[in-house]
Amino acid sequence: MFAAPALVASGCVAVGGAAGPPAPAPTVRVGDKWVYNCSDGFRVPVTWVETHEVTIIDHTGIAVRVTLVGPTMNYERVELWSAPGVVVIGAVFDPAETRNFEPPLIRYQFPLTPGASWNQRLRNLDPANQLMSNISRFVQVGGYTTASTPAGTFDAIEMRTIMSVDDNNPFRLPYECNYVTWWAPEAGNMVRETKFATYRERGNALDAVTIRAQNTTIELASFSRGK
C-alpha cells in the first residue's frame, strides 16, 4: 500500500511549459561543478550551500562528490551514477542521505521529452537497522519554461515528481512528496527545484494530523564545466 498515493496521483499530474525538442543526455566530464543555494523550513528556514562536483569517471560509473555547508551543517557524501540521470548510490529525499537503490534510480530519463513520464518502485536496505525502505516515484515531464536563478536565467524543462517514501518508521506513515524540477540543457543539470512533503503519525486514522516535513527551495548559484 505504500505506493498507492504516488500511483493514484500519477494519473492526474499537470505540468506547465511550452512545446520544444527533447533534451539529450549531457556530456559529463571530471571537474563539472554545480553550486546551489538551498533553504528548507517554514517560519525560520535552515539555509546551506550544496556543491555537486564530478570527481571520477571510470568503468564503475560517474562519481559525484556532494557537500552541504551551512550554519547548522557540514556534510559530505558521494553519489555513483551508472550514466547521466541514473543513480546507483545517492539521495532521493533528504539531501544528506545515502541510499543504495534497487533498481537504480532514474532521476532523469534522457532524452527528456516534453509530455513523457516514468514510474519506478525502488528499494534500499538501511545497514543501520537492516530494514528495507520502499519508494514509489512518478515523474511527469512538462515543457520549456523560464527559470530565474542566482546563476542566471535559463530555458529549462519543467517536470513534477510525485513520490512516497516508506522507511518503516514505527511512529509515522510514509512521506508523501510533491517536487517540481527545472532542468536546463545549458547547465547540463537541474537549475531550480522546490520540494514539499508531509506525513501522518501512526495510530487512529480518524485523529491523524498531516505534518509538514519538507519545504525546500534549491537554486543554482554557479556552474562550471570540466575540460
Side-chain angles (χ1 to χ4, degrees), residues 43-66:
R43 286 188 292 271
V44 184
V46 174
T47 62
W48 69 95
V49 174
E50 187 168 315
T51 302
H52 297 230
E53 182 175 6
V54 178
T55 56
I56 300 172
I57 300 177
D58 60 17
H59 68 280
T60 64
I62 302 167
V64 181
R65 182 173 62 239
V66 180

Side-chain angles (χ1 to χ4, degrees), residues 148-163:
S148 296
T149 75
T153 300
F154 298 89
D155 194 18
I157 297 177
E158 182 178 338
M159 63 194 79
R160 185 178 297 273
T161 300
I162 304 298
M163 181 173 65

Side-chain angles (χ1 to χ4, degrees), residues 4 35 42-43 52 64 67 91 94 115 122-123 147 167 169 172 189:
V35 180
F42 294 91
R43 286 188 292 271
H52 297 230
V64 181
T67 57
D94 186 329
L122 308 165
R123 307 194 313 160
D167 286 328
N169 189 293
R172 58 164 175 76
N189 210 332

